[in-house]
């Protein structure tokens, strides 16, 4: 058993969480710092429409990443569960061998499926970049830069989708350090390319989009190298590609929650943009900057629950329910501590931090209020993310889907009522109220899922894993 696998299987819970989550936190945090710096680069051009273009483009970027999430989260959690099944001491030889073969099939499907999906949405996105920019709320001076940024992102869609999917595969067998290395390499490359394309060549948001795409080429190259040379379980070879019904059901069933979350994020962002545009570009620019600042504590919490997903899935696949419970409790404690410490620090220095990104008094005034509301939201969304991660890891497709759509469904009436009754303040605080309601729903679903957490993994996966060995053997004989 590899050292990475040991952290999934038998290392003390806190040691496993540190090994899995700290690199994820570091990788995500570096990415958030880059996003802040990127906004600073665009801000240095002293153009509010360019800053607004970054805000308008956020839901489109989320959609591209969500396509990668369908394959990455669905395939990655499937691989981790199969690793647990393979190492289950009660598993017979055929099931263990079948799981090993099935892991290769799942990982190959994850990569090649992600690339194919990326090509399709990339072509469509480039063709319809301007209508998409209009659809997300861009108009006037912000329409052209928004369309340019969206077009550049979609031009690199296959790479962006594959990068996210491959990162999940790397983490699926516990290789969190390798995952972090790829994320940091991408961020460093992005930073260097931003300097070249934005500050030196003066390409503005188009340069930012091209830099984003090229930096992910670096990430994809690194992850393919690691999975090919260092992985002890997966295979990216096309000969292992399978798209059988059980594969599609498991990967898309779990991964669909990622797509639904991002799809509803797009809907909520569109609604927010349509309402906020009535208050002027300054508010939209302030929202974009505030969102990037508040991402730091949010991404640290995300690093914890996403880093722990392979541990949840492995323990569930191995039927080690005590380890699964310990991992969930440990992750919850870590998220609580991180949220309180980092959100408090950002809140105390919110005025000084926000002033670094804009000298426009109206942007600063709106931004500090928005940042306050967003920081309060972090008190709830870290635990909501943890609940969703547990549902995904343990193949609770129904609960994961409910949580994925709940925020979007709840947000629309909340923001409409807030705007009608409280005006601008109602718009700003709508997401905070929605996060509280979503957290409450997640708590109810989680308490009701304790029986499912204590059950055995899907027997369909076990049967398919055993059948995979026979299929491979028949192919060799033929």
């Amino acid at each position: 058993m590899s050292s990475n696998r040991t952290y999934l299987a038998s290392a003390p819970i806190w040691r496993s969480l540190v090994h899995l989550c700290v690199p994820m936190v570091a990788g995500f945090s570096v990415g958030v710092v880059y996003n802040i710096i990127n906004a600073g680069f665009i801000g240095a051009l002293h153009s509010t429409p360019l800053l607004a273009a970054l805000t308008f483009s956020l839901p489109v970027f989320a959609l591209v990443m969500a396509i990668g999430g369908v394959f990455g989260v669905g395939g990655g959690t499937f691989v981790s569960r199969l690793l647990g099944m393979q190492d289950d001491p009660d598993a017979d030889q055929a099931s263990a061998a079948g799981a090993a073969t099935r892991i290769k099939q799942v990982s190959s499907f994850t990569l090649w499926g992600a690339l194919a999906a990326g090509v399709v949405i990339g072509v469509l996105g480039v063709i319809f970049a301007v209508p998409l920019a209009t659809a997300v709320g861009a108009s006037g001076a912000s329409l052209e830069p928004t369309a340019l940024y969206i077009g550049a992102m979609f031009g690199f869609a296959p790479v962006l989708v594959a990068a996210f999917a491959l990162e999940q595969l790397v983490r699926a067998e516990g290789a969190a350090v390798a995952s972090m290395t790829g994320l940091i390499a991408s961020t460093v490359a992005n930073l260097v390319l931003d300097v070249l394309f934005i500050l030196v060549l003066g390409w503005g948001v188009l340069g930012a989009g091209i830099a984003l795409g090229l930096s992910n080429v670096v990430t994809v190259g690194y992850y393919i190298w690691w999975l090919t040379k260092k992985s002890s379980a997966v295979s990216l070879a096309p000969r292992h590609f399978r798209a059988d019904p059980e594969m599609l059901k498991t990967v898309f069933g779990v991964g669909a929650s990622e797509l639904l979350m991002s799809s509803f994020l797009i809907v909520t962002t569109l609604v927010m943009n349509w309402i906020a545009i009535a208050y002027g570009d300054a508010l939209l620019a302030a929202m974009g900057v505030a969102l990037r600042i508040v991402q730091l504590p949010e991404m640290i919490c995300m690093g914890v629950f996403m880093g722990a997903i392979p541990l949840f899935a492995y323990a569930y696949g191995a039927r080690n329910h005590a380890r699964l419970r310990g991992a969930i409790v440990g992750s919850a404690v870590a998220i609580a501590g991180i949220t309180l410490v980092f959100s408090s620090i950002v809140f105390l220095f919110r005025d000084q931090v926000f002033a670094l990104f804009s000298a426009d008094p109206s942007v600063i005034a709106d931004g500090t209020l928005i940042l306050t509301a967003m920081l309060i939201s972090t008190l709830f969304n870290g635990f909501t993310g943890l609940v969703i991660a547990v549902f995904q890891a343990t193949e609770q497709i129904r609960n994961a889907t409910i949580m994925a759509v709940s925020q979007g469904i709840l947000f629309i009436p909340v923001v409409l009522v807030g705007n009608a009754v409280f005006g601008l303040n109602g718009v700003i605080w709508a997401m905070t109220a929605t996060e509280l309601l979503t957290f409450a729903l997640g708590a109810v679903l989680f308490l009701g899922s304790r029986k499912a957490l204590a059950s055995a993994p899907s027997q369909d996966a076990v049967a398919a894993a055993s059948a995979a060995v026979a299929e491979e053997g028949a192919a060799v004989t033929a």
Side-chain angles (χ1 to χ4, degrees):
M1 183 180 294
S2 68
S3 59
N4 287 321
R5 187 91 66 87
T6 301
Y7 286 104
L8 298 179
S10 58
I13 288 295
W14 279 106
R15 185 179 299 175
S16 295
L17 288 174
V18 168
H19 171 81
L20 294 168
C21 300
V22 169
M24 288 302 300
V25 170
F28 283 157
S29 298
V30 169
V32 171
V33 171
Y34 159 73
N35 285 334
I36 295 173
I37 294 173
N38 185 43
F41 283 148
I42 297 298
L45 301 177
H46 305 294
S47 173
T48 296
L50 294 185
L51 275 176
L54 294 182
T55 303
F56 282 127
S57 303
L58 286 174
V60 178
F61 181 72
L63 174 63
V64 175
M65 291 294 97
I67 300 298
V70 170
F71 294 92
V73 175
T77 56
F78 198 0
V79 167
S80 295
R81 285 193 299 274
L82 288 166
L83 288 171
M85 291 162 54
Q86 185 183 21
D87 296 336
D88 184 350
D90 296 328
D92 57 38
Q93 186 175 359
S95 293
T101 300
R102 193 60 164 169
I103 288 169
K104 292 181 172 60
Q105 296 175 348
V106 173
S107 52
S108 180
F109 175 81
T110 298
L111 171 61
W112 297 106
L115 282 172
V119 169
V120 173
I121 66 168
V123 171
L124 293 174
V126 170
I127 293 174
F128 297 105
V130 174
L132 283 171
T134 304
V136 296
S139 61
S142 63
L143 177 60
E144 181 180 356
T146 302
L148 283 174
Y149 193 58
I150 288 175
M153 280 194 295
F154 275 115
F156 287 96
V159 175
L160 296 174
V161 172
F164 192 89
L166 288 170
E167 191 264 336
Q168 303 293 312
L169 284 180
V170 170
R171 291 196 299 110
E173 55 182 298
V177 174
S179 170
M180 175 191 69
T181 302
L183 293 174
I184 292 177
S186 174
T187 301
V188 172
N190 210 335
L191 182 60
V192 172
L193 292 170
D194 265 351
V195 173
L196 173 63
F197 293 140
I198 298 176
L199 299 185
V200 176
L201 298 179
W203 290 357
V205 292
L206 175 61
I210 295 174
L212 175 67
L214 292 178
S215 66
N216 276 273
V217 173
V218 175
T219 307
V220 168
Y222 171 77
Y223 287 147
I224 289 177
W225 170 83
W226 192 93
L227 289 167
T228 303
K229 301 297 184 181
K230 301 293 184 180
S231 173
S232 61
V234 310
S235 171
L236 303 179
R239 69 178 182 274
H240 288 129
F241 180 90
R242 297 291 186 279
D244 54 79
E246 196 269 339
M247 176 82 74
L248 298 175
K249 174 186 174 183
T250 304
V251 173
F252 291 152
V254 174
S257 59
E258 287 291 308
L259 180 60
L260 288 170
M261 277 192 292
S262 295
S263 298
F264 275 94
L265 173 63
I266 292 171
V267 173
T268 58
T269 304
L270 288 175
V271 173
M272 176 67 87
N273 287 346
W274 290 334
I275 294 175
I277 195 66
Y279 295 96
D281 281 350
L283 178 64
L284 284 168
M287 288 172 59
V289 175
L291 183 61
R292 282 165 172 76
I293 295 171
V294 83
Q295 275 182 336
L296 184 55
E298 286 185 351
M299 288 298 175
I300 292 173
C301 290
M302 185 180 292
V304 173
F305 62 73
M306 289 193 68
I309 283 180
L311 179 58
F312 300 154
Y314 182 97
Y316 180 73
R319 296 187 294 178
N320 191 339
H321 305 303
R323 187 167 181 81
L324 175 59
R325 287 193 299 271
I328 294 172
V329 171
S331 300
V333 171
I335 287 173
I338 290 167
T339 300
L340 291 175
V341 172
F342 283 88
S343 293
S344 298
I345 292 174
V346 175
F347 178 79
L348 289 174
F349 296 98
R350 63 192 183 282
D351 292 336
Q352 294 88 337
V353 170
F354 209 95
L356 296 174
F357 299 94
S358 177
D360 187 334
S362 61
V363 171
I364 295 175
D366 290 340
T368 52
L369 179 58
I370 294 169
L371 184 59
T372 300
M374 288 183 176
L375 287 172
I376 295 175
S377 296
T378 62
L379 297 174
F380 308 109
N381 60 25
F383 292 106
T384 300
L386 175 60
V387 169
I388 295 173
V390 172
F391 291 157
Q392 291 173 334
T394 57
E395 207 176 344
Q396 295 187 58
I397 296 173
R398 181 182 67 88
N399 284 345
T401 302
I402 291 173
M403 289 299 297
V405 303
S406 61
Q407 186 183 74
I409 292 175
L410 292 171
F411 176 76
I412 294 174
V414 169
V415 71
L416 291 176
V417 172
N419 182 51
V421 177
F422 302 106
L424 178 59
N425 284 331
V427 174
I428 291 174
W429 289 95
M431 184 56 71
T432 307
T434 304
E435 290 286 0
L436 173 59
L437 294 172
T438 306
F439 166 75
L441 174 62
V444 172
L445 290 176
F446 180 78
L447 291 175
S449 71
R450 287 175 294 179
K451 183 177 179 180
L453 293 176
S455 65
S458 170
Q459 293 303 307
D460 290 340
V462 177
S466 299
V469 171
E471 180 185 339
E472 292 291 314
V476 171
T477 302

